[in-house]
Amino acid sequence: MLVRRLTVLACACMLVAGVAACNDDEQGVDEPAREGLALPLDGVNYNVFITRQLNPAIPPDDAYYTGPEPRPGETLYGVFLQACNSSSSPKQTVDNLNFVIRDNQGNEFEPEELPVDNQFAYHARPLLPKECIPRAGSVAQLGPTAGSMLLFRLPLQNTEYRPLELEIQGADDEHLTYDLDI
């Protein structure tokens, strides 16, 4: 009886080891990463904290975005992220135009341009060592999302073409991809 149990246990261990060895895909590069993982790109760690639909007619969403209401058949989504320089030298964050949401039909959506005075908006800038976007102690960092926002205007129909993925394009064809949890 003991030999049989040991044989079954050994087979189970080999099966688990075999499955684990087959999954050498790098999160965010070879396969989309899930929200909540900080991953490096061009010396900066990017972390998508949360993606959520916005309704600018109600608090707190009226603080995130004060522009025109979405047209019929459209919706607004905020992608809240953090970008941190964990190196010992200054690093440049990726520009807003280097972010794109892609649906499973191949449609692509770029973020809306937000005013510089929007305290929640992500704006690319150089980061000193150990510095982050959003800045420590800022409204965006202390807020419920703890991140700076990229605003996307999506047709309602396309929100059904899941998974929706956020791609961050870096230098030299480097990129990160996140599955958006909507």
Side-chain angles (χ1 to χ4, degrees):
M1 186 68 151
L2 180 60
V3 173
R4 180 179 281 171
R5 285 185 183 168
L6 288 176
T7 304
V8 170
L9 182 61
C11 288
C13 288
M14 290 185 342
L15 179 63
V16 168
V19 170
C22 291
N23 193 5
D24 289 337
D25 293 339
E26 187 178 353
Q27 286 286 308
V29 177
D30 299 321
E31 64 178 46
R34 62 176 169 75
E35 290 181 3
L37 291 177
L39 300 172
L41 180 67
D42 298 337
V44 176
N45 290 329
Y46 292 89
N47 190 347
V48 175
F49 285 130
I50 189 170
T51 303
R52 69 180 201 74
Q53 188 174 13
L54 300 178
N55 181 352
I58 61 169
D61 295 357
D62 59 352
Y64 295 134
Y65 174 69
T66 58
E69 295 276 328
R71 294 179 292 239
E74 283 185 336
T75 189
L76 299 174
Y77 272 91
V79 176
F80 295 88
L81 60 97
Q82 180 186 62
C84 291
N85 178 1
S86 59
S87 76
S88 58
S89 62
K91 300 290 181 185
Q92 176 65 42
T93 59
V94 299
D95 188 73
N96 293 43
L97 296 176
N98 289 36
F99 292 90
V100 65
I101 287 180
R102 188 173 296 111
D103 65 23
N104 71 6
Q105 303 296 304
N107 300 303
E108 294 184 356
F109 305 95
E110 294 179 353
E112 300 278 308
E113 190 170 326
L114 294 171
V116 174
D117 64 347
N118 181 321
Q119 295 185 53
F120 295 96
Y122 171 91
H123 294 289
R125 65 181 177 84
L127 294 177
L128 296 174
K130 312 302 179 209
E131 189 177 28
C132 293
I133 296 175
R135 292 182 198 271
S138 68
V139 171
Q141 190 265 330
L142 296 174
T145 60
S148 290
M149 181 184 71
L150 292 166
L151 180 75
F152 290 88
R153 186 178 300 271
L154 301 172
L156 278 173
Q157 176 179 341
N158 294 74
T159 62
E160 296 301 319
Y161 299 149
R162 294 182 188 144
L164 296 180
E165 296 176 346
L166 176 73
E167 184 173 287
I168 308 170
Q169 187 65 47
D172 301 324
D173 292 327
E174 299 283 326
H175 73 278
L176 291 176
T177 305
Y178 284 89
D179 265 334
L180 299 179
D181 187 18
I182 64 168

